[in-house]
Amino acid sequence: MSISDEQLAQSKNISVEQVHLLCEARGTTNETLEALPEAAVRRALLRLDYPDLPTARGLFRLKQEQSDDGTVQPNALGTAYEQGQALLTGDAPPSTAGIPTGSNGQRPRGGPAPTAGVQLAQWVWLGPGNIGGRTRGIVIHPVQPDRMWAVSAGGGVWHTEDGGAQWDPVDDFLENLACACIAMDPSDMSTMYVGTGEAFHNLDAIRGNGIFRTTDAVTWKPIAATQTPDFQFVSRIAVSQSGKVVLAATSTGLFRSADPARATWTKVLNNPLGDVRFDPQDSSKAVAGALRDGAAWFSRDGGLTWHLAVNGPWSGRVELAYAEMDPDIVYASVQMTTGQIWRSQDGGATYQSRTILTPGGLPADYLGEQGWYDNTIWAGDPTDADLVLVGGINLWRSTDGGDHLSEISTWSDPGSAHADQHAIVSHPSYDGVTNRTVFFGNDGGVFKAEDLADVGSEPQPPFVNGWTELVNNYGVTQFYSGAGHVGSGRIIGGAQDNGSLIFDPALGTEDWRTFFGGDGGWCASDPTDPDVFYGEYVFLNIHRNTDGATTDDTQGDRYISGQFFNFATGDWDWKQVPFRITDAKNEKALFIAPFVLDPNNENRILAGGLSLWQTNNAKQPNTFTTGPTWKAIKPNAGTKISAIAVARGDSGVVWVGHEDGIVFRTTNGTATTPTWARVGATGPNPLTPRRFCTCITVHPTDPDTVYVAFGGYESGNLWVTTDGGAQWTNLATALPLAPIRAVAVHPRRTELLYCGTEVGLFASENAGASWSPTNEGPANCSVDDLFWMGETLVCVTHGRGMYRIDLSAVP
């Protein structure tokens, strides 16, 4: 039964305008909104204040990759990887600073690391094994369908031998883990291609390094001819039925290769493309869709020449699908404002619009407002050319060729498919009658619908019937930060688009839980109280949990930065000064903004926007009008704060770094008005980088010794001072030219350093004079954070979850 806008507004105590905004932004219907819990409605309303989170995420990562001049060099990530690999020499020691290093430890797959007869500390993967990450491609072996491969945006290529019951990475040392698509050669199932770099981000934030190929389904190598700027962002790959021709859609155009060695690639279209497909029955025919220009093309000679299709006034990204039953029928999912479906009857030469209505007769805004980010379409039923699936935030099904759409998933319910759809793939035996199994890749990993005719068939949402999560050990979660409590062993992390998560060692890697939704950011754990954790939503919106992170937010009252849900107005509001962080209210902070809990005072938090904000009563009871009190203790320096550190043993010593590389220090940080001095700008050995300051780490026993790290694919990304900032020494001369995101000092053996970079973890036994790369655990994934639990080091990655290693036995 349909529900009117007015009925829904009254039911949820919101306005009719808010109803319209929610339906458009979230790509959903009144019926789905009616079924949402109150907390989910409030969160959806909050997200209206941040209409383009995928772009904001991309911009944030891009800032950390830029050089002093604001550019990112072509193939920078691949070059940095090669520099790191060059350090893995055959005579390298078996361990460095307690971390396994040297070529003896390399392994192609996950699992326990070999010790080669040497007793070494070993990395332990913590998960999450049940919360995946952005998955843009899936392929399935046509003869052995339990063998599947999936590609993730930050964790590389993964493989399962048992239909998704257990996943493993295909190669921990794949040169580039920013994978955006995968294709199998129909004539040789052992040959596959993976394209790297996510062109779907408008800001091109996650750069790739061309196309990788395997010819034995085990060993992957880069195709040298594609390691050029033209192939930094490969959106889609198509392989002809004979395997002879490969087409690659990239952000600079469409490329074609017809030689077996793939040494020659010819640009056949000069437009940025997001999609390319061969006709499933005739490889002389193919179609291609624009990345952002609202156009489609077709070819009749195997992709040699292309013609612009005739269609309506399109705009944005165009995704295409051949109808398996009749390839003369081609469907297009066009971004437009909130999504439109068009159908071609002549193999993609001309298109006609469909009505695209919900069962209640209203427009089906199935893509929401982010069709450039999540947009996929499928018409793979060999018995029914009118059966169509489309995916935006949720998944929708049509049985009349796109004229009417019904939701079959509900993003807010954990029993349904995760939000943000990117790939739809049929089971190889799908016949529309005895086998109707389809697999889906989204921001939560891999999901399966055992029976497409039955999945999501409830009369009213939430649509959970028939969904199976296949994340099992598919460890590609993209964390920004982490923290843990030594006594309880619990660890929390802020994850991209997967919220603030908690790991309980008593429950294991397959039972991580969400204690706050949305994007997660920086984290903190109260060392004196195992029940108190702090997390963050975007733009410095700090929240507090006081029950050990065992329950999710239910009242909208856990933000201690000052935001609260005003039940009187039915919308989000902000408390008055001094009970708010004004920079958070005005979004004058980084997308993922830093905050730290003072290591000497569990009641004191320092948080960075344009100013540095402080509260000395972080555990003050939180109400809708009061709570922790905040004040700015550092003047606005014109750029946003990106790193904060407080000296252990002296709360007065505070260091602050900015997104433009400027660093400040105070020695009276607890005073009413601290005195700040810029450091490193002058002197005999100045601090020279003028790019994103990613991390500041103060020596655990010497507050005058401080390590400062920077982003950018540049030299000189790690510096140290031993005199409080008067003079600086570059410690990165032997490190790859890549962003350095985290630095940790062993709490007992303080000459042992650990450095998290964009291409993995590096260790030093001589205070940074020399470095050795690690080759186990996080491998060459981006390491965004490092923190200690006693003498156990926890490694937080952006694409492979979390790891820990016990370094208490280091002599």
Side-chain angles (χ1 to χ4, degrees):
M1 183 177 67
S2 62
I3 180 171
S4 69
D5 295 344
E6 291 75 17
Q7 289 171 321
L8 179 59
Q10 183 176 6
S11 170
K12 296 300 182 183
N13 193 31
I14 59 179
S15 68
V16 171
E17 180 185 9
Q18 287 173 319
V19 170
H20 295 162
L21 291 172
L22 286 175
C23 284
E24 290 180 4
R26 301 302 292 165
T28 191
T29 65
N30 287 2
E31 289 70 34
T32 292
L33 293 177
E34 168 65 19
L36 287 182
E38 293 296 325
V41 173
R42 291 195 291 271
R43 284 186 186 160
L45 287 172
L46 177 60
R47 187 159 178 166
L48 293 177
D49 294 333
Y50 312 103
D52 201 353
L53 291 178
T55 295
R57 293 185 202 119
L59 177 59
F60 175 68
R61 297 298 285 189
L62 179 62
K63 284 184 177 182
Q64 296 174 322
E65 296 175 348
Q66 290 172 329
S67 299
D68 290 356
D69 63 1
T71 64
V72 179
Q73 293 298 315
N75 198 29
L77 183 59
T79 301
Y81 166 82
E82 292 167 0
Q83 292 166 346
Q85 287 295 97
L87 297 175
L88 283 172
T89 59
D91 58 354
S95 69
T96 302
I99 301 287
T101 54
S103 59
N104 62 292
Q106 287 198 39
R107 68 196 196 288
R109 294 190 180 275
T115 61
V118 182
Q119 282 299 113
L120 300 177
Q122 293 186 3
W123 287 103
V124 176
W125 185 62
L126 302 179
N130 62 317
I131 298 173
R134 188 160 69 259
T135 300
R136 288 220 177 254
I138 302 169
V139 295
I140 307 173
H141 195 288
V143 180
Q144 304 169 37
D146 281 344
R147 300 183 66 194
M148 303 167 57
W149 290 261
V151 294
S152 72
V157 186
W158 289 65
H159 178 221
T160 177
E161 296 276 355
D162 51 18
Q166 170 77 19
W167 294 84
D168 289 300
V170 300
D171 188 344
D172 278 343
F173 287 86
L174 193 68
E175 186 174 326
N176 191 292
L177 299 180
C179 299
C181 57
I182 184 169
M184 179 180 285
D185 184 338
S187 68
D188 178 5
M189 284 75 80
S190 295
T191 297
M192 286 174 278
Y193 301 85
V194 164
T196 62
E198 275 200 295
F200 303 108
H201 282 283
N202 284 351
L203 297 159
D204 292 340
I206 302 181
R207 293 169 184 266
N209 190 28
I211 297 174
F212 290 74
R213 177 173 63 170
T214 179
T215 56
D216 59 8
V218 175
T219 305
W220 295 77
K221 295 181 179 179
I223 298 175
T226 66
Q227 294 186 294
T228 69
D230 277 330
F231 291 85
Q232 285 189 97
F233 307 102
V234 183
S235 310
R236 194 85 74 240
I237 297 171
V239 187
S240 66
Q241 291 295 313
S242 67
K244 180 180 179 180
V245 178
V246 176
L247 300 175
T250 82
S251 61
T252 63
L254 181 64
F255 292 82
R256 184 181 189 272
S257 177
D259 66 297
R262 305 302 173 207
T264 302
W265 294 80
T266 303
K267 181 182 279 191
V268 291
L269 262 179
N270 205 35
N271 303 75
L273 293 180
D275 196 16
V276 63
R277 311 275 176 175
F278 275 112
D279 182 313
Q281 298 177 13
D282 181 358
S283 292
S284 68
K285 301 175 182 179
V287 292
L291 182 62
R292 56 181 69 97
D293 296 333
W297 294 262
F298 66 97
S299 172
R300 296 294 186 258
D301 56 8
L304 279 169
T305 59
W306 292 83
H307 311 279
L308 188 64
V310 177
N311 50 56
W314 289 1
S315 63
R317 177 178 163 192
V318 177
E319 287 287 303
L320 301 167
Y322 279 100
E324 188 75 21
M325 179 183 176
D326 179 4
D328 282 340
I329 297 175
V330 181
Y331 288 95
S333 175
V334 187
Q335 178 185 339
M336 302 300 283
T337 302
T338 55
Q340 289 187 11
I341 299 173
W342 291 63
R343 184 167 70 177
S344 170
Q345 300 286 139
D346 53 13
T350 62
Y351 289 86
Q352 298 79 40
S353 64
R354 311 302 287 176
T355 57
I356 327 162
L357 300 175
T358 68
L362 298 174
D365 300 321
Y366 68 95
L367 289 183
E369 294 179 347
Q370 54 186 55
W372 60 269
Y373 173 72
D374 40 30
N375 183 355
T376 185
I377 187 166
W378 173 96
D381 193 306
T383 68
D384 187 355
D386 287 331
L387 179 57
V388 180
L389 300 179
V390 288
I393 296 172
N394 280 325
L395 287 154
W396 300 65
R397 177 176 53 214
S398 173
T399 58
D400 57 9
D403 279 338
H404 294 84
L405 292 176
S406 298
E407 280 184 304
I408 60 172
S409 72
T410 304
W411 90 85
S412 61
D413 196 299
S416 188
H418 196 279
D420 298 321
Q421 314 304 319
H422 306 299
I424 307 175
V425 178
S426 308
H427 189 283
S429 300
Y430 184 106
D431 59 12
V433 181
T434 61
N435 185 311
R436 293 191 291 251
T437 300
V438 182
F439 298 86
F440 302 83
N442 52 45
D443 272 11
V446 181
F447 288 76
K448 179 176 75 171
E450 188 72 35
D451 185 347
L452 185 57
D454 184 58
V455 69
S457 59
E458 295 94 331
Q460 296 291 330
F463 301 111
V464 299
N465 184 62
W467 286 109
T468 302
E469 169 242 286
L470 297 180
V471 177
N472 313 306
N473 204 52
Y474 180 55
V476 297
T477 307
Q478 294 173 290
F479 282 110
Y480 292 113
S481 175
H485 190 275
V486 176
S488 68
R490 289 180 174 177
I491 292 172
I492 62 171
Q496 177 178 300
D497 204 34
N498 278 294
S500 296
L501 310 175
I502 182 163
F503 165 74
D504 188 331
L507 299 176
T509 61
E510 289 292 320
D511 200 8
W512 283 65
R513 300 181 182 182
T514 302
F515 69 93
F516 209 92
D519 280 87
W522 285 55
C523 301
S525 170
D526 187 328
T528 68
D529 189 339
D531 288 336
V532 177
F533 291 104
Y534 299 90
E536 176 192 43
Y537 188 46
V538 297
F539 302 112
L540 200 60
N541 216 343
I542 301 172
H543 50 81
R544 181 184 68 201
N545 184 284
T546 58
D547 61 9
T550 57
T551 61
D552 202 347
D553 174 43
T554 56
Q555 296 297 322
D557 61 352
R558 290 187 175 172
Y559 285 119
I560 60 169
S561 47
Q563 193 166 33
F564 70 100
F565 190 78
N566 190 330
F567 288 92
T569 63
D571 208 347
W572 288 88
D573 205 345
W574 287 85
K575 302 174 189 177
Q576 297 298 310
V577 173
F579 304 110
R580 73 174 187 224
I581 301 175
T582 303
D583 282 349
K585 176 180 183 294
N586 297 329
E587 296 181 32
K588 299 298 184 182
L590 291 171
F591 178 73
I592 301 296
F595 76 89
V596 298
L597 191 63
D598 186 335
N600 315 295
N601 181 356
E602 72 277 7
N603 290 302
R604 185 170 186 251
I605 291 176
L606 297 177
L610 278 173
S611 300
L612 183 67
W613 296 81
Q614 169 194 281
T615 180
N616 289 317
N617 59 345
K619 292 192 280 189
Q620 180 76 15
N622 205 30
T623 73
F624 295 123
T625 55
T626 63
T629 55
W630 296 90
K631 73 171 184 175
I633 62 169
K634 177 180 176 297
N636 178 352
T639 58
K640 296 166 186 173
I641 292 172
S642 55
I644 307 168
V646 181
R648 188 171 295 277
D650 187 350
S651 296
V653 177
V654 181
W655 290 74
V656 172
H658 289 254
E659 60 180 334
D660 62 352
I662 297 175
V663 178
F664 292 86
R665 174 179 181 258
T666 182
T667 57
N668 64 340
T670 58
T672 301
T673 305
T675 302
W676 295 89
R678 182 178 169 185
V679 297
T682 59
N685 299 298
L687 190 62
T688 58
R690 291 296 173 262
R691 52 190 178 270
F692 199 102
C693 178
T694 54
C695 171
I696 300 176
T697 300
V698 182
H699 191 284
T701 59
D702 179 7
D704 284 335
T705 296
V706 179
Y707 302 89
V708 180
F710 296 89
Y713 290 95
E714 295 282 347
S715 61
N717 277 341
L718 180 61
W719 297 73
V720 65
T721 178
T722 58
D723 55 12
Q727 298 187 74
W728 294 87
T729 301
N730 177 12
L731 295 182
T733 55
L735 287 168
L737 306 186
I740 294 175
R741 300 184 179 278
V743 179
V745 184
H746 195 289
R748 174 171 48 87
R749 287 278 307 276
T750 55
E751 74 278 17
L752 306 184
L753 300 184
Y754 308 89
C755 177
T757 78
E758 192 76 19
V759 290
L761 185 72
F762 292 76
S764 173
E765 292 186 340
N766 50 19
S770 63
W771 297 89
S772 291
T774 62
N775 52 13
E776 299 173 8
N780 63 316
C781 187
S782 177
V783 175
D784 276 34
D785 195 12
L786 297 167
F787 66 91
W788 294 98
M789 297 180 70
E791 293 189 10
T792 292
L793 181 66
V794 181
C795 180
V796 180
T797 78
H798 196 73
R800 285 288 183 88
M802 291 194 197
Y803 296 79
R804 71 180 174 203
I805 188 167
D806 185 355
L807 298 177
S808 62
V810 176

